[in-house]
Amino acid sequence: MVRKIEQNDIQQNEIYQIMQIWLEGNIEAHDFVPKDYWISNYPLVQKQILQADIYVYETDGKIQGFVGMIDDYLAGIFVNRNCRSFGIGHQLLNHVKSIHPVLELHVYQKNRRAVEFYLGEGFSVTSESVDGETGELEYTMSWG
């Protein structure tokens, strides 16, 4: 089930589950970026998550994945490692597509699994740039 996390009702265990999925997902998907980069950004991302619209996929009270939105910017889709390839990312993306007529995101070019996922979901590459923090090439992609 996909539901929006209401910021005024957010529970500490929900933030913990979200942040663990975020950290593990980034370390695993971005083996070309030093692990310490993600660990050092953990506190900043935790603050940013509290300012974003977060939609979670939940089963039996456990968050299996989430998508973060800032206006029409898709900050990321993350799915628990044990729950990947079961359509959770697709469901989360379809949910935000039903709310937002256009979407934009950034994705590292080397993250081929994510690039292929977004291309398969109807996104197109609109530009290429270098991420100033990691020095990695990234795509800007859009949908709608």
Side-chain angles (χ1 to χ4, degrees):
M1 169 183 118
V2 177
R3 70 174 175 90
K4 183 177 182 182
I5 295 227
E6 297 299 332
Q7 296 298 340
N8 56 342
D9 294 331
I10 197 162
Q11 303 293 316
Q12 190 62 34
N13 70 323
E14 290 175 326
I15 286 291
Y16 177 77
Q17 289 178 61
I18 288 167
M19 290 305 299
Q20 287 307 112
I21 293 169
W22 174 85
L23 182 61
E24 290 171 6
N26 274 310
I27 290 171
E28 186 176 312
H30 306 113
D31 58 355
F32 48 89
V33 174
K35 180 179 178 179
D36 290 344
Y37 173 79
W38 304 111
I39 293 169
S40 67
N41 276 288
Y42 188 102
L44 174 64
V45 171
Q46 187 169 358
K47 287 180 187 175
Q48 291 173 335
I49 279 181
L50 295 173
Q51 298 168 8
D53 289 331
I54 303 295
Y55 301 89
V56 297
Y57 183 94
E58 186 177 55
T59 54
D60 299 323
K62 183 163 173 50
I63 295 171
Q64 306 296 345
F66 73 95
V67 59
M69 295 294 305
I70 302 167
D71 299 321
D72 291 329
Y73 182 76
L74 194 158
I77 296 176
F78 296 89
V79 177
N80 180 310
R81 165 185 318 147
N82 300 323
C83 300
R84 292 187 193 135
S85 300
F86 294 109
I88 293 172
H90 178 74
Q91 288 184 53
L92 287 163
L93 182 56
N94 280 343
H95 186 78
V96 295
K97 281 180 171 178
S98 73
I99 299 167
H100 298 270
V102 296
L103 296 171
E104 185 175 87
L105 60 87
H106 292 97
V107 61
Y108 289 118
Q109 289 181 12
K110 290 180 182 175
N111 187 351
R112 296 304 310 160
R113 184 174 183 185
V115 170
E116 294 302 321
F117 172 77
Y118 290 120
L119 289 172
E121 293 292 333
F123 282 76
S124 59
V125 175
T126 56
S127 67
E128 297 180 28
S129 60
V130 175
D131 178 14
E133 291 188 27
T134 63
E136 291 291 331
L137 295 173
E138 64 182 0
Y139 291 131
T140 300
M141 300 181 83
S142 64
W143 172 85

